[in-house]
Amino acid sequence: MPQIDFRQLMDSARISAVHLEMRDTYGVGDEADDFERWRATGDRDVDPGSAYWTPWVELISRAHARGVRVRRARVVSEPVTEYIRYEHAGTPVNLFSGEEVRWLPRRLAATLLLPGADLWVFDGRTVLFNHFTGNGEWADPGMELRTEADVVEGCVHAFEEVWERAVPHDEYKIR
């Protein structure tokens, strides 16, 4: 199976890139140091120029500069997990980069038919599924590309349904 290059997918987007996140916890991997510091102090790295954030900020800023609309919707259980609190604390950098971010309490998603995995949809034509283990680490394989019209259409529809119900980041209060 060929290696999937997320950065190449994002750099080739011309119209839109949407991200649907549905887990309450993720393995922290490259976030481990920042996560532990946040747990100990409550301070999260929100410097867009930091070594941690710069690659993401540059990637999303390039997309935004080309006119790509980048949206992220997070479906979360309430009260939220410690990891979701951590994500929420870092979201200002996503916004700074040009992303739009919304939060949907899981109880408000109960009547939606959602995919079984987190995903990205690029230009409404390509779906990148993100596969995780039960404890939130990357599965093997961790990513799967799909372009079948019915799969893409279903994922686009699911994202838009979540987006319509979700609360913009600046209005979402952590519970």
Side-chain angles (χ1 to χ4, degrees):
M1 172 176 265
Q3 183 72 5
I4 296 170
D5 185 341
F6 174 79
R7 292 185 182 287
Q8 183 179 21
L9 288 166
M10 183 62 78
D11 280 336
S12 66
R14 296 292 169 240
I15 300 164
S16 64
V18 301
H19 187 31
L20 181 58
E21 294 178 281
M22 299 179 288
R23 296 182 55 87
D24 287 320
T25 189
Y26 292 86
V28 293
D30 65 341
E31 301 171 320
D33 291 341
D34 190 49
F35 184 67
E36 289 306 317
R37 183 171 55 90
W38 173 82
R39 289 177 82 195
T41 67
D43 292 328
R44 172 87 199 261
D45 176 1
V46 290
D47 175 6
S50 72
Y52 173 77
W53 281 109
T54 294
W56 186 254
V57 169
E58 289 176 354
L59 182 68
I60 300 305
S61 295
R62 279 195 311 270
H64 189 66
R66 311 191 282 285
V68 175
R69 186 177 184 199
V70 182
R71 296 182 290 160
R72 177 187 303 257
R74 293 174 169 148
V75 178
V76 296
S77 300
E78 293 180 322
V80 299
T81 63
E82 183 177 44
Y83 184 83
I84 294 300
R85 287 181 184 280
Y86 169 77
E87 273 195 332
H88 190 272
T91 300
V93 182
N94 298 96
L95 300 172
F96 173 86
S97 302
E99 285 187 63
E100 300 170 54
V101 179
R102 292 188 181 180
W103 302 81
L104 182 63
R106 194 169 308 281
R107 65 183 164 71
L108 299 178
T111 59
L112 298 179
L113 300 178
L114 298 177
D118 288 10
L119 58 87
W120 282 88
V121 180
F122 299 96
D123 292 334
R125 297 187 357 225
T126 303
V127 176
L128 174 67
F129 287 110
N130 296 148
H131 297 298
F132 297 97
T133 63
N135 65 359
E137 300 296 334
W138 284 102
D140 184 20
M143 295 183 217
E144 174 186 3
L145 273 178
R146 302 295 291 266
T147 57
E148 300 94 330
D150 59 333
V151 172
V152 174
E153 183 180 311
C155 292
V156 167
H157 179 76
F159 179 86
E160 294 303 334
E161 289 287 315
V162 168
W163 189 257
E164 183 178 304
R165 294 182 187 195
V167 178
H169 175 75
D170 292 339
E171 298 172 25
Y172 181 69
K173 306 299 179 219
I174 287 287
R175 299 186 321 139

